[in-house]
């Protein structure tokens, strides 16, 4: 009888131990899954969003091309819903790096560039401004919003502005490998002698994007100022070419920007060894790269405009990133 009672006690204790083990596993599993849901973005936590339903029979724009032959969207006002995009990139916890070169006297443009970027560039998202300069003491103090910071990267200058422009590719590729890959998700590479005049947000982000040159967006490829000399690595034949891209505003994921800038830098090094310099320097090499490595998004000239030279045509619903009037001779090479 005693052995029977002991057997029953062992039986009940075994079942109790199994039950407690299951409860503990369930408890910890729930905690782990809850944490992962928060990290990954639980679908139940996504806020509801009401917006107009897209109509496949009603094009967003009838006056401009909105899709390339390789199915990359061309970004114009009216082709995107920024609220939807902001929500998607917010869920990904995206950080955007903005590189800008303020070498020699070009540092005078930095204050306006940063102040207008704070008003219009990636508002509501995490941003790191990477300022490349040979004059770190002259970098202005600009009030930055939450989640945004400025990093000064001290670099050397060059006697010719063309060399400054071409070495930009080298420095971006170098810092992409050493630093940017660990700090940001996307890189936007911009000229400093510009200002943000209207919204420039996550609608531009993609694996690789280029911006249509405001002087050539309506032109045939024969009029593009590609490098036409076969001796140069930037050479593009007369019967090739999609668009002419501006060197002042391009970007993408850090990995893709690294590949682009490294390839352009290596091509420029080879050109120098062969005693030739492409007609439009790094911009010529950028166009060669984007011809054979198609961008996954193309930005309309809304994202690169010179109102003083080109006015404001009706096709441009907004002018977002615009040139600042300047005397080039007074700035370059000084």
């Amino acid at each position: 009888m005693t052995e029977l009672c002991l057997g029953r006690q062992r039986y009940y204790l075994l079942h109790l131990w199994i039950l407690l083990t299951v409860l503990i596993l369930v408890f910890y599993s729930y905690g782990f899954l809850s944490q992962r849901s928060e990290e990954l973005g639980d679908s139940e936590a996504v806020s509801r969003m009401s917006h107009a339903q897209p109509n496949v029979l009603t094009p967003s724009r009838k006056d401009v091309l909105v899709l390339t032959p390789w199915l990359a969207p061309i970004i114009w006002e009216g082709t995107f819903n920024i609220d939807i995009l902001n929500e998607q990139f917010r869920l990904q916890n995206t950080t955007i790096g903005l590189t800008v070169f303020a070498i020699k006297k070009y540092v005078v443009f930095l204050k306006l560039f940063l102040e207008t970027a704070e008003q219009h560039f990636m508002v509501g998202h995490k941003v790191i401004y990477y300022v490349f300069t040979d004059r770190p003491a002259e970098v202005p103090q600009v009030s930055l919003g939450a989640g945004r910071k400025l990093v000064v990267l001290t670099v050397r200058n060059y006697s010719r502005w063309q060399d400054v422009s071409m070495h930009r590719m080298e420095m971006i590729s170098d810092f992409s490998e050493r630093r940017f890959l660990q700090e940001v998700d996307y890189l936007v590479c911009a000229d400093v002698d510009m200002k943000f005049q209207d919204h420039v947000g996550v609608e531009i982000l993609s694996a690789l994007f280029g911006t249509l040159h405001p002087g050539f967006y309506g032109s045939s490829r024969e009029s593009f100022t590609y490098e036409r000399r076969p001796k140069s690595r930037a050479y593009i034949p007369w019967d090739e070419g999609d668009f002419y891209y501006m060197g002042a505003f391009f970007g993408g994921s850090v990995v893709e920007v690294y590949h682009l800038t490294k390839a352009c830098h290596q091509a420029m090094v080879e050109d120098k060894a062969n005693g030739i310099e492409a007609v439009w320097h790094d911009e010529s090499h950028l166009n060669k790269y984007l011809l054979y490595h198609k961008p996954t998004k193309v930005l309309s000239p809304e994202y690169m405009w010179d109102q003083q030279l080109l006015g404001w045509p009706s096709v441009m619903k907004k002018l977002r990133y615009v040139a600042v009037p300047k005397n080039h001779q007074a700035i370059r090479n000084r």
Side-chain angles (χ1 to χ4, degrees):
M1 190 70 177
T2 303
E3 291 181 1
L4 181 61
C5 290
L6 287 172
R8 286 178 178 174
Q9 285 179 348
R10 291 194 190 99
Y11 175 80
Y12 291 133
L13 286 172
L14 177 62
H15 277 260
L16 181 61
W17 181 83
I18 293 173
L19 179 61
L20 286 172
T21 302
V22 170
L23 288 172
I24 290 170
L25 288 173
V26 169
F27 175 79
Y28 279 105
S29 298
Y30 177 79
F32 174 77
L33 291 173
S34 296
Q35 182 180 1
R36 291 297 296 154
S37 296
E38 290 176 7
E39 291 175 359
L40 298 175
D42 190 346
S43 60
E44 294 298 322
V46 177
S47 58
R48 287 175 51 81
M49 181 180 294
S50 177
H51 57 81
Q53 179 186 349
N55 188 333
V56 296
L57 301 179
T58 304
S60 56
R61 291 281 294 264
K62 299 179 181 179
D63 55 339
V64 291
L65 184 68
V66 298
L67 197 67
T68 69
W70 58 92
L71 300 181
I74 305 177
I75 310 303
W76 301 84
E77 175 65 14
T79 62
F80 60 90
N81 183 318
I82 192 57
D83 294 328
I84 297 175
L85 292 171
N86 276 334
E87 180 69 10
Q88 296 304 303
F89 280 93
R90 182 189 68 80
L91 290 172
Q92 297 171 35
N93 197 27
T94 304
T95 300
I96 303 101
L98 177 59
T99 69
V100 64
F101 284 73
I103 307 294
K104 298 196 283 190
K105 278 196 172 182
Y106 276 85
V107 75
V108 302
F109 297 106
L110 192 53
K111 188 173 189 294
L112 180 63
F113 176 91
L114 292 171
E115 288 177 343
T116 57
E118 278 298 289
Q119 296 170 16
H120 302 294
F121 181 78
M122 303 292 168
V123 175
H125 297 275
K126 293 186 293 183
V127 171
I128 301 178
Y129 298 106
Y130 294 110
V131 177
F132 292 80
T133 185
D134 61 330
R135 302 181 180 183
E138 297 181 34
V139 173
Q141 296 292 319
V142 175
S143 178
L144 303 179
R148 301 163 80 93
K149 66 179 181 178
L150 186 148
V151 174
V152 177
L153 303 171
T154 303
V155 295
R156 61 163 292 190
N157 64 34
Y158 295 87
S159 58
R160 301 188 314 142
W161 68 266
Q162 294 94 332
D163 292 321
V164 172
S165 178
M166 290 191 289
H167 279 279
R168 178 177 64 157
M169 293 293 190
E170 177 186 18
M171 286 183 270
I172 293 173
S173 65
D174 182 34
F175 276 90
S176 291
E177 186 175 29
R178 287 166 45 194
R179 179 169 187 167
F180 300 158
L181 276 167
Q182 288 76 47
E183 297 183 352
V184 298
D185 302 297
Y186 294 92
L187 275 180
V188 178
C189 306
D191 276 7
V192 72
D193 54 342
M194 308 283 292
K195 67 177 181 179
F196 294 90
Q197 186 170 282
D198 209 319
H199 165 89
V200 176
V202 294
E203 76 279 356
I204 74 172
L205 299 180
S206 187
L208 182 63
F209 73 81
T211 304
L212 299 182
H213 194 294
F216 296 105
Y217 68 95
S219 303
S220 65
R221 61 164 64 119
E222 291 78 16
S223 64
F224 293 165
T225 54
Y226 289 152
E227 174 54 65
R228 302 298 187 181
R229 295 169 293 175
K231 185 179 179 181
S232 172
R233 283 287 309 279
Y235 168 67
I236 297 176
W238 290 94
D239 61 347
E240 292 186 31
D242 305 306
F243 306 111
Y244 190 89
Y245 300 99
M246 191 80 174
F249 202 65
F250 65 92
S253 69
V254 181
V255 170
E256 289 298 330
V257 172
Y258 168 72
H259 290 317
L260 181 155
T261 52
K262 184 178 180 181
C264 289
H265 170 61
Q266 289 176 339
M268 286 185 280
V269 169
E270 290 184 33
D271 271 6
K272 186 175 182 179
N274 292 326
I276 191 169
E277 188 174 281
V279 60
W280 287 110
H281 323 294
D282 56 328
E283 185 173 271
S284 297
H285 291 278
L286 173 75
N287 273 277
K288 176 66 175 286
Y289 186 90
L290 292 179
L291 174 60
Y292 296 111
H293 304 81
K294 303 295 189 191
T296 52
K297 255 184 196 176
V298 174
L299 307 187
S300 72
E302 294 175 2
Y303 294 88
M304 176 53 59
W305 196 256
D306 190 327
Q307 193 171 355
Q308 190 175 29
L309 289 177
L310 302 168
W312 193 333
S314 59
V315 73
M316 302 296 164
K317 306 302 182 185
K318 290 190 175 183
L319 303 182
R320 304 175 185 276
Y321 186 53
V322 299
V324 175
K326 57 192 157 293
N327 182 340
H328 285 287
Q329 294 305 315
I331 297 293
R332 288 175 174 172
N333 301 327
R334 295 188 183 181

